[in-house]
Amino acid sequence: LTVSSIIVQLAATRFTPHVTSLFFRARTNVVINGFFVVSTIFVLWINYSAGNTYIPRFGVIGAMLLMTASLLLLFPYFAYVFSFLEPDSIVGRITTDGLKAATPIRGPARLAIHERQRRSIESVENLANIALNAIQQKDKNIASLAANALCTFGSLYGDT
């Protein structure tokens, strides 16, 4: 958890603070981090309940299985985190989220138009922040990626 938090904070500093909310809203992060926390709590409770005279066998086996699964999940999870925080992925997620918010919706959800407009505008602002930060850091690849995403966003937004 600490390593992923530090990596996300560095990415948020480099690109835009919106990276943090994107990261913690992603279903994979919620599931994996929840699994890590629940596993750790379970192991702590089993260690606390095990005494000199009583050893919960099934609890100990369960704790060993959960900790083994947690350790085995670390490497794929870090691979996911690094791919999640690649500039292409971040820009793509922001663009997709903004366009999804801008898409006309039928039914009762159409009443939340102000919230959807706000999310769409925030997406454009985040893309612009990424472009400006990349220009300040003299990173022309990320700057052109963000500029292309803004152009794509503008053309696709006009089509909706």
PDB file of all heavy atoms in Angstrom, residues 46-60:
ATOM      1  N   ILE A  46      -6.003 -13.804  13.943  1.00  0.00           N
ATOM      2  CA  ILE A  46      -5.603 -15.195  14.191  1.00  0.00           C
ATOM      3  C   ILE A  46      -4.373 -15.234  15.099  1.00  0.00           C
ATOM      4  O   ILE A  46      -4.300 -16.043  16.029  1.00  0.00           O
ATOM      5  CB  ILE A  46      -5.345 -15.942  12.861  1.00  0.00           C
ATOM      6  CG1 ILE A  46      -6.647 -16.138  12.104  1.00  0.00           C
ATOM      7  CG2 ILE A  46      -4.651 -17.272  13.084  1.00  0.00           C
ATOM      8  CD1 ILE A  46      -7.690 -16.955  12.845  1.00  0.00           C
ATOM      9  N   ASN A  47      -3.426 -14.354  14.849  1.00  0.00           N
ATOM     10  CA  ASN A  47      -2.241 -14.297  15.728  1.00  0.00           C
ATOM     11  C   ASN A  47      -2.625 -13.920  17.144  1.00  0.00           C
ATOM     12  O   ASN A  47      -2.055 -14.426  18.116  1.00  0.00           O
ATOM     13  CB  ASN A  47      -1.214 -13.303  15.181  1.00  0.00           C
ATOM     14  CG  ASN A  47      -0.464 -13.848  14.006  1.00  0.00           C
ATOM     15  OD1 ASN A  47      -0.394 -15.047  13.804  1.00  0.00           O
ATOM     16  ND2 ASN A  47       0.105 -12.961  13.213  1.00  0.00           N
ATOM     17  N   TYR A  48      -3.595 -13.022  17.284  1.00  0.00           N
ATOM     18  CA  TYR A  48      -4.028 -12.601  18.614  1.00  0.00           C
ATOM     19  C   TYR A  48      -4.764 -13.730  19.330  1.00  0.00           C
ATOM     20  O   TYR A  48      -4.607 -13.910  20.537  1.00  0.00           O
ATOM     21  CB  TYR A  48      -4.931 -11.369  18.493  1.00  0.00           C
ATOM     22  CG  TYR A  48      -5.453 -10.890  19.810  1.00  0.00           C
ATOM     23  CD1 TYR A  48      -4.636 -10.214  20.709  1.00  0.00           C
ATOM     24  CD2 TYR A  48      -6.776 -11.119  20.173  1.00  0.00           C
ATOM     25  CE1 TYR A  48      -5.117  -9.779  21.927  1.00  0.00           C
ATOM     26  CE2 TYR A  48      -7.271 -10.697  21.382  1.00  0.00           C
ATOM     27  CZ  TYR A  48      -6.435 -10.016  22.257  1.00  0.00           C
ATOM     28  OH  TYR A  48      -6.919  -9.594  23.456  1.00  0.00           O
ATOM     29  N   SER A  49      -5.566 -14.494  18.591  1.00  0.00           N
ATOM     30  CA  SER A  49      -6.369 -15.538  19.232  1.00  0.00           C
ATOM     31  C   SER A  49      -5.575 -16.807  19.520  1.00  0.00           C
ATOM     32  O   SER A  49      -5.992 -17.625  20.337  1.00  0.00           O
ATOM     33  CB  SER A  49      -7.589 -15.875  18.374  1.00  0.00           C
ATOM     34  OG  SER A  49      -7.181 -16.458  17.158  1.00  0.00           O
ATOM     35  N   ALA A  50      -4.443 -16.991  18.853  1.00  0.00           N
ATOM     36  CA  ALA A  50      -3.640 -18.199  19.102  1.00  0.00           C
ATOM     37  C   ALA A  50      -2.892 -18.035  20.419  1.00  0.00           C
ATOM     38  O   ALA A  50      -2.180 -17.064  20.632  1.00  0.00           O
ATOM     39  CB  ALA A  50      -2.653 -18.419  17.958  1.00  0.00           C
ATOM     40  N   GLY A  51      -3.078 -18.979  21.294  1.00  0.00           N
ATOM     41  CA  GLY A  51      -2.412 -18.934  22.599  1.00  0.00           C
ATOM     42  C   GLY A  51      -1.598 -20.192  22.827  1.00  0.00           C
ATOM     43  O   GLY A  51      -1.335 -20.971  21.915  1.00  0.00           O
ATOM     44  N   ASN A  52      -1.200 -20.391  24.076  1.00  0.00           N
ATOM     45  CA  ASN A  52      -0.410 -21.578  24.424  1.00  0.00           C
ATOM     46  C   ASN A  52      -1.245 -22.847  24.358  1.00  0.00           C
ATOM     47  O   ASN A  52      -0.753 -23.907  23.992  1.00  0.00           O
ATOM     48  CB  ASN A  52       0.188 -21.425  25.818  1.00  0.00           C
ATOM     49  CG  ASN A  52       1.251 -20.344  25.838  1.00  0.00           C
ATOM     50  OD1 ASN A  52       1.846 -20.050  24.815  1.00  0.00           O
ATOM     51  ND2 ASN A  52       1.476 -19.765  27.002  1.00  0.00           N
ATOM     52  N   THR A  53      -2.508 -22.754  24.726  1.00  0.00           N
ATOM     53  CA  THR A  53      -3.339 -23.956  24.781  1.00  0.00           C
ATOM     54  C   THR A  53      -4.270 -24.095  23.583  1.00  0.00           C
ATOM     55  O   THR A  53      -4.669 -25.209  23.257  1.00  0.00           O
ATOM     56  CB  THR A  53      -4.198 -23.947  26.062  1.00  0.00           C
ATOM     57  OG1 THR A  53      -5.003 -22.774  26.059  1.00  0.00           O
ATOM     58  CG2 THR A  53      -3.312 -23.976  27.298  1.00  0.00           C
ATOM     59  N   TYR A  54      -4.617 -23.002  22.943  1.00  0.00           N
ATOM     60  CA  TYR A  54      -5.582 -23.054  21.841  1.00  0.00           C
ATOM     61  C   TYR A  54      -4.944 -22.522  20.557  1.00  0.00           C
ATOM     62  O   TYR A  54      -4.455 -21.394  20.526  1.00  0.00           O
ATOM     63  CB  TYR A  54      -6.825 -22.224  22.177  1.00  0.00           C
ATOM     64  CG  TYR A  54      -7.798 -22.116  21.027  1.00  0.00           C
ATOM     65  CD1 TYR A  54      -8.521 -23.233  20.599  1.00  0.00           C
ATOM     66  CD2 TYR A  54      -7.976 -20.921  20.361  1.00  0.00           C
ATOM     67  CE1 TYR A  54      -9.399 -23.147  19.547  1.00  0.00           C
ATOM     68  CE2 TYR A  54      -8.858 -20.822  19.296  1.00  0.00           C
ATOM     69  CZ  TYR A  54      -9.571 -21.945  18.894  1.00  0.00           C
ATOM     70  OH  TYR A  54     -10.439 -21.847  17.843  1.00  0.00           O
ATOM     71  N   ILE A  55      -4.958 -23.340  19.524  1.00  0.00           N
ATOM     72  CA  ILE A  55      -4.468 -22.913  18.215  1.00  0.00           C
ATOM     73  C   ILE A  55      -5.578 -23.194  17.197  1.00  0.00           C
ATOM     74  O   ILE A  55      -5.911 -24.370  16.964  1.00  0.00           O
ATOM     75  CB  ILE A  55      -3.181 -23.658  17.806  1.00  0.00           C
ATOM     76  CG1 ILE A  55      -2.069 -23.320  18.792  1.00  0.00           C
ATOM     77  CG2 ILE A  55      -2.781 -23.300  16.385  1.00  0.00           C
ATOM     78  CD1 ILE A  55      -0.779 -24.032  18.532  1.00  0.00           C
ATOM     79  N   PRO A  56      -6.164 -22.145  16.635  1.00  0.00           N
ATOM     80  CA  PRO A  56      -7.238 -22.350  15.654  1.00  0.00           C
ATOM     81  C   PRO A  56      -6.661 -22.853  14.325  1.00  0.00           C
ATOM     82  O   PRO A  56      -6.151 -22.086  13.518  1.00  0.00           O
ATOM     83  CB  PRO A  56      -7.854 -20.957  15.509  1.00  0.00           C
ATOM     84  CG  PRO A  56      -6.775 -20.017  15.909  1.00  0.00           C
ATOM     85  CD  PRO A  56      -5.914 -20.739  16.889  1.00  0.00           C
ATOM     86  N   ARG A  57      -6.726 -24.168  14.120  1.00  0.00           N
ATOM     87  CA  ARG A  57      -6.073 -24.787  12.960  1.00  0.00           C
ATOM     88  C   ARG A  57      -6.595 -24.232  11.637  1.00  0.00           C
ATOM     89  O   ARG A  57      -5.818 -23.878  10.750  1.00  0.00           O
ATOM     90  CB  ARG A  57      -6.249 -26.299  12.996  1.00  0.00           C
ATOM     91  CG  ARG A  57      -5.469 -26.946  14.101  1.00  0.00           C
ATOM     92  CD  ARG A  57      -5.568 -28.464  13.965  1.00  0.00           C
ATOM     93  NE  ARG A  57      -5.057 -29.119  15.147  1.00  0.00           N
ATOM     94  CZ  ARG A  57      -3.783 -29.426  15.324  1.00  0.00           C
ATOM     95  NH1 ARG A  57      -2.914 -29.138  14.404  1.00  0.00           N
ATOM     96  NH2 ARG A  57      -3.392 -30.020  16.424  1.00  0.00           N
ATOM     97  N   PHE A  58      -7.907 -24.194  11.479  1.00  0.00           N
ATOM     98  CA  PHE A  58      -8.463 -23.699  10.226  1.00  0.00           C
ATOM     99  C   PHE A  58      -8.161 -22.209  10.037  1.00  0.00           C
ATOM    100  O   PHE A  58      -7.953 -21.740   8.929  1.00  0.00           O
ATOM    101  CB  PHE A  58      -9.973 -23.956  10.159  1.00  0.00           C
ATOM    102  CG  PHE A  58     -10.305 -25.411  10.034  1.00  0.00           C
ATOM    103  CD1 PHE A  58     -10.969 -26.069  11.056  1.00  0.00           C
ATOM    104  CD2 PHE A  58      -9.939 -26.128   8.911  1.00  0.00           C
ATOM    105  CE1 PHE A  58     -11.273 -27.409  10.951  1.00  0.00           C
ATOM    106  CE2 PHE A  58     -10.232 -27.480   8.792  1.00  0.00           C
ATOM    107  CZ  PHE A  58     -10.905 -28.116   9.821  1.00  0.00           C
ATOM    108  N   GLY A  59      -8.132 -21.479  11.139  1.00  0.00           N
ATOM    109  CA  GLY A  59      -7.774 -20.063  11.075  1.00  0.00           C
ATOM    110  C   GLY A  59      -6.334 -19.855  10.634  1.00  0.00           C
ATOM    111  O   GLY A  59      -6.035 -18.983   9.820  1.00  0.00           O
ATOM    112  N   VAL A  60      -5.444 -20.671  11.161  1.00  0.00           N
ATOM    113  CA  VAL A  60      -4.025 -20.575  10.790  1.00  0.00           C
ATOM    114  C   VAL A  60      -3.842 -20.956   9.325  1.00  0.00           C
ATOM    115  O   VAL A  60      -3.116 -20.288   8.580  1.00  0.00           O
ATOM    116  CB  VAL A  60      -3.153 -21.458  11.713  1.00  0.00           C
ATOM    117  CG1 VAL A  60      -1.726 -21.550  11.199  1.00  0.00           C
ATOM    118  CG2 VAL A  60      -3.170 -20.913  13.137  1.00  0.00           C
TER     119      VAL A  60
END
